[in-house]
Amino acid sequence: MIANHRFGPVTAGADAIHAQKHRGPHEDFREAVNRVATALSDSSHHYGELREAIGLQKFSPAGRIWSAMGSEKRVTGFNCYVSGTIEDSLLEGKGSIMTRLTEAMTTLRMGGGIGYDFSNLRPRGALIRKLASHSCGPVRFIEMFDAAAGCIASTGERRAAQMGVLRVDHPDVFEFVRAKQKLNYLTCFNLSVLVTDEFMECLAAKRSFKLRFENQVYGEIDPETLWEAIMRSTWDWGDPGVMFIDRVNRANNLNYVETISCSNPCGEQVLPPYGACLLGSLNLPKFLTNQGSGAVDGKVVRKYGFDWEELAATVAIAVRALDNVIDRTIYPLYEQEQEAKAKRRMGLGIMGLANAGEAIGYPYGSREFCAFTTRALEVIRNESYRAGAALAKEKGAFAKFSLEGYQRGEQFQALPEDVQGLIRKNGLRNSHYTSIAPTGTIAIAADNVSSGLEPVVAYEYDRQVMRGDGSAESFHFTDYGYGQLGIEGKRLQDVSLTDHIDVLKTCAPLIDSSVSKTINVARSVTFEQFKSIYLEAYEAGCKSCTTFRPSGKKGGIFAIEEKETAAEEGEACYIDPLTNEKVCAA
């Protein structure tokens, strides 16, 4: 293992980010680690293991856990939620639009993002018989949710993050697809279309597709026309994304007791009504081992291996800790608590993938890199389920566990036989174990390791970090691979479309929830090539697909100043963890 006896970040900028986002007043990193480890541990032994794993940054809970657990703040330890089902009624009934809006504002106020499925709302112009009036349609109601969330964001605690989805067969789908084709509109929302297998089959067969609401058909369209509209809007404006909803439900471990129609705002957790998003990430570069140095092309370079046994051991520590969040956090709503405790979902993922793989010698997106990624995710998956079976023996299985239903699932069938045997014997503590989040802030706080599945953005850049007193200070940030490991990995501007897609396709089948990955599209990519990304993702079995084109009409929010000059087609973007906006490096 690479020696690192210091708890926490070694760079001033990373420490400042962590202090700004995750610590209490006058709390240093060590004190924050002690607080979180105390709040999430089961015993003195687990406390010691967890404290070391978090302190040495081998494992990081998500930002909400850092902020909430053991602190005096009245905020939830879950990053995001999905709304209860929105019924087609403004005021009447428990599921009315206004009831869901009130619940959403309660959730946002306590620090949780939220996703909504607006597909149950009748289309624009539909008759409302009781009032002898007509519906304004889903998009106008999304405007209402967006405006209310803007007020929550103005409190300064955290920018409101929301996801809005609509079924591809909803009569207002064209309006929804084009909703964000202007700046400063629905700024608190990401949007995604729920694409069905039926639509994809009609698209492939060039067969007409029906738009319908409840039992009424509103018309038939050429699916290519709608697909073109989705692709053009995404090409130019970055929204909407695409979620292959039938595949999501087929692959769901709990498809025997629930139906999913939405995800959290970043898409790494697909969730049922009132579902909650519980996240943590393993920092892969911390499992690298020193293998000395050697000469490559006349240059002396460091050599690295990887400690697979240490990774497996850390998975078990993390699973136990995340499971404890479910019982020890507070929830904005009673219904969210009931849902979380009945199924005990968690999403253990990774960060620093690009740094770790490239340190060993595998260029991002290469065959060797994807093989390394596969092995890492298989270890995390297998050991998560193994730990979950052990916890079930100790603490009991999750309430909705049914061996008959669960063992029919794709993920169960992919597990090693010994893990399957443990589950058959003990049950499982948690319904889901893995997802891959963007890991923005926690990756920067870990001395700027590469975020989630993404490649390196830039070797060096400067950025402003807000202080508690409202002032800002500029810090210099260096990529962890470049600064700490001595490697020059591929940057976004060096990564091809094929590289991005191959990494996404590698990860998708190994994750039991979902994957947040942005495929960055260079200027040189044609529209026809762009459209093929989504078709290839569908054919490869991915649950969703998100792209960003920095040369599109939305453009960059601000530029990162790199030390080296980038080629024109090298313009690259990512999701800024502090603002939740797309940020571009040129």
Side-chain angles (χ1 to χ4, degrees):
M1 189 71 59
I2 296 174
N4 177 7
H5 301 294
R6 172 176 170 172
F7 265 29
V10 299
T11 58
D15 188 69
I17 288 285
H18 192 276
Q20 178 203 8
K21 303 298 290 185
H22 303 320
R23 300 180 203 163
H26 313 297
E27 188 177 52
D28 64 18
F29 182 86
R30 184 178 294 270
E31 291 166 339
V33 170
N34 293 345
R35 166 175 58 80
V36 172
T38 298
L40 300 186
S41 60
D42 277 340
S43 64
S44 59
H45 178 71
H46 185 225
Y47 170 81
E49 291 181 322
L50 182 59
R51 180 178 180 271
E52 179 176 281
I54 298 175
L56 297 181
Q57 297 183 295
K58 294 185 290 185
F59 164 67
S60 178
R64 290 292 88 193
I65 296 174
W66 276 107
S67 297
M69 301 310 297
S71 78
E72 297 179 2
K73 296 180 181 179
R74 186 167 173 76
V75 293
T76 179
F78 286 82
N79 269 49
C80 301
Y81 297 85
V82 160
S83 169
T85 302
I86 303 175
E87 303 295 346
D88 189 29
S89 170
L90 183 62
L91 297 169
E92 297 175 2
K94 293 182 179 180
S96 71
I97 296 166
M98 295 308 297
T99 297
R100 296 300 183 232
L101 178 59
T102 300
E103 291 176 345
M105 295 308 104
T106 300
T107 301
L108 291 170
R109 186 172 61 86
M110 290 183 65
I114 190 164
Y116 321 82
D117 178 11
F118 292 96
S119 302
N120 284 341
L121 302 186
R122 72 192 79 186
R124 181 188 289 270
L127 178 66
I128 305 174
R129 289 186 176 85
K130 286 185 179 179
L131 302 176
S133 64
H134 295 85
S135 171
C136 65
V139 173
R140 292 301 301 275
F141 283 114
I142 296 174
E143 287 180 10
M144 184 171 71
F145 279 70
D146 183 72
C151 296
I152 298 293
S154 69
T155 65
E157 173 63 24
R158 186 182 188 221
R159 184 183 183 275
Q162 299 180 104
M163 169 69 82
V165 303
L166 195 76
R167 283 181 61 91
V168 71
D169 54 8
H170 192 283
D172 283 4
V173 66
F174 281 98
E175 182 183 5
F176 178 83
V177 165
R178 295 167 178 146
K180 292 189 71 174
Q181 292 185 0
K182 52 186 173 182
L183 295 175
N184 302 317
Y185 180 69
L186 302 183
T187 55
C188 294
F189 267 96
N190 294 326
L191 299 181
S192 196
V193 178
L194 303 179
V195 175
T196 62
D197 286 346
E198 179 191 3
F199 176 83
M200 296 304 291
E201 289 163 4
C202 288
L203 181 66
K206 302 185 183 301
R207 187 173 66 242
S208 65
F209 179 72
K210 294 177 181 178
L211 300 182
R212 51 196 170 225
F213 184 76
E214 295 181 337
N215 296 320
Q216 181 180 350
V217 175
Y218 278 69
E220 294 192 16
I221 63 165
D222 176 0
E224 179 60 35
T225 301
L226 177 53
W227 189 247
E228 184 83 3
I230 295 170
M231 294 294 101
R232 282 289 176 189
S233 185
T234 306
W235 169 262
D236 285 332
W237 298 95
D239 267 299
V242 166
M243 186 186 305
F244 301 115
I245 194 61
D246 291 332
R247 176 168 295 140
V248 164
N249 280 293
R250 276 197 305 276
N252 181 17
N253 288 351
L254 291 180
N255 56 23
Y256 59 92
V257 292
E258 67 182 22
T259 300
I260 289 174
S261 65
C262 197
S263 77
N264 73 315
C266 287
E268 72 271 15
Q269 284 268 301
V270 286
L271 297 165
Y274 290 117
C277 180
L278 175 61
L279 301 173
S281 296
L282 296 150
N283 187 5
L284 296 186
K286 294 296 182 177
F287 299 95
L288 292 169
T289 57
N290 281 318
Q291 301 289 316
S293 60
V296 176
D297 296 330
K299 292 175 59 178
V300 176
V301 296
R302 305 178 208 172
K303 292 184 177 181
Y304 297 98
F306 197 84
D307 192 335
W308 296 104
E309 291 184 1
E310 181 68 13
L311 176 64
T314 306
V315 169
I317 297 167
V319 166
R320 180 178 287 271
L322 290 176
D323 181 67
N324 284 335
V325 174
I326 299 165
D327 297 313
R328 299 176 187 179
T329 192
I330 59 174
Y331 295 81
L333 303 172
Y334 171 78
E335 293 86 351
Q336 295 164 343
E337 181 176 6
Q338 293 301 107
E339 171 67 25
K341 290 182 176 178
K343 300 168 185 173
R344 309 189 71 85
R345 270 179 167 87
M346 69 174 66
L348 183 61
I350 57 175
M351 60 185 179
L353 173 66
N355 289 154
E358 292 183 316
I360 298 172
Y362 309 142
Y364 186 91
S366 66
R367 183 180 63 182
E368 296 82 4
F369 184 90
C370 290
F372 169 76
T373 301
T374 296
R375 184 174 180 186
L377 294 182
E378 285 179 341
V379 168
I380 293 167
R381 179 196 65 193
N382 297 346
E383 296 308 314
S384 293
Y385 280 83
R386 190 189 308 278
L391 277 176
K393 181 178 180 180
E394 176 186 338
K395 298 183 176 184
F398 68 91
K400 296 291 186 180
F401 177 75
S402 161
L403 180 59
E404 181 182 358
Y406 203 90
Q407 66 185 354
R408 293 197 299 264
E410 295 175 5
Q411 287 295 322
F412 179 90
Q413 294 173 25
L415 293 169
E417 289 186 9
D418 66 315
V419 178
Q420 291 184 13
L422 288 172
I423 295 171
R424 290 190 179 101
K425 181 179 179 181
N426 301 332
L428 267 179
R429 181 65 174 167
N430 316 91
S431 67
H432 296 72
Y433 287 94
T434 56
S435 66
I436 301 179
T439 71
T441 308
I442 61 172
I444 297 175
D447 289 313
N448 202 30
V449 299
S450 54
S451 174
L453 296 181
E454 308 298 347
V456 172
V457 176
Y459 295 148
E460 298 180 80
Y461 61 89
D462 295 318
R463 75 176 300 153
Q464 298 286 315
V465 178
M466 297 299 296
R467 294 295 196 181
D469 60 5
S471 63
E473 184 175 353
S474 180
F475 287 93
H476 186 72
F477 289 85
T478 303
D479 166 58
Y480 186 89
Y482 184 72
Q484 304 288 327
L485 303 176
I487 59 169
E488 296 183 1
K490 283 185 179 179
R491 296 161 298 173
L492 274 177
Q493 64 202 56
D494 309 315
V495 174
S496 71
L497 211 53
T498 300
D499 294 336
H500 279 295
I501 295 170
D502 285 349
V503 171
L504 176 61
K505 287 161 56 176
T506 297
C507 297
L510 298 169
I511 298 297
D512 63 24
S513 185
S514 194
V515 171
S516 178
K517 164 128 185 63
T518 300
I519 297 175
N520 205 72
V521 181
R523 291 176 185 266
S524 58
V525 173
T526 67
F527 181 62
E528 291 304 315
Q529 291 173 316
F530 176 82
K531 287 200 299 182
S532 72
I533 296 171
Y534 289 82
L535 296 175
E536 190 170 346
Y538 178 74
E539 290 165 3
C542 298
K543 296 173 183 174
S544 62
C545 189
T546 302
T547 57
F548 185 64
R549 234 179 112 247
S551 54
K553 292 181 179 178
K554 188 174 284 188
I557 306 302
F558 61 84
I560 294 172
E561 294 181 1
E562 289 197 76
K563 293 299 180 184
E564 56 273 17
T565 302
E568 184 181 37
E569 67 272 14
E571 198 174 28
C573 293
Y574 68 108
I575 302 297
D576 184 84
L578 305 185
T579 65
N580 200 36
E581 297 283 1
K582 291 186 174 71
V583 176
C584 298

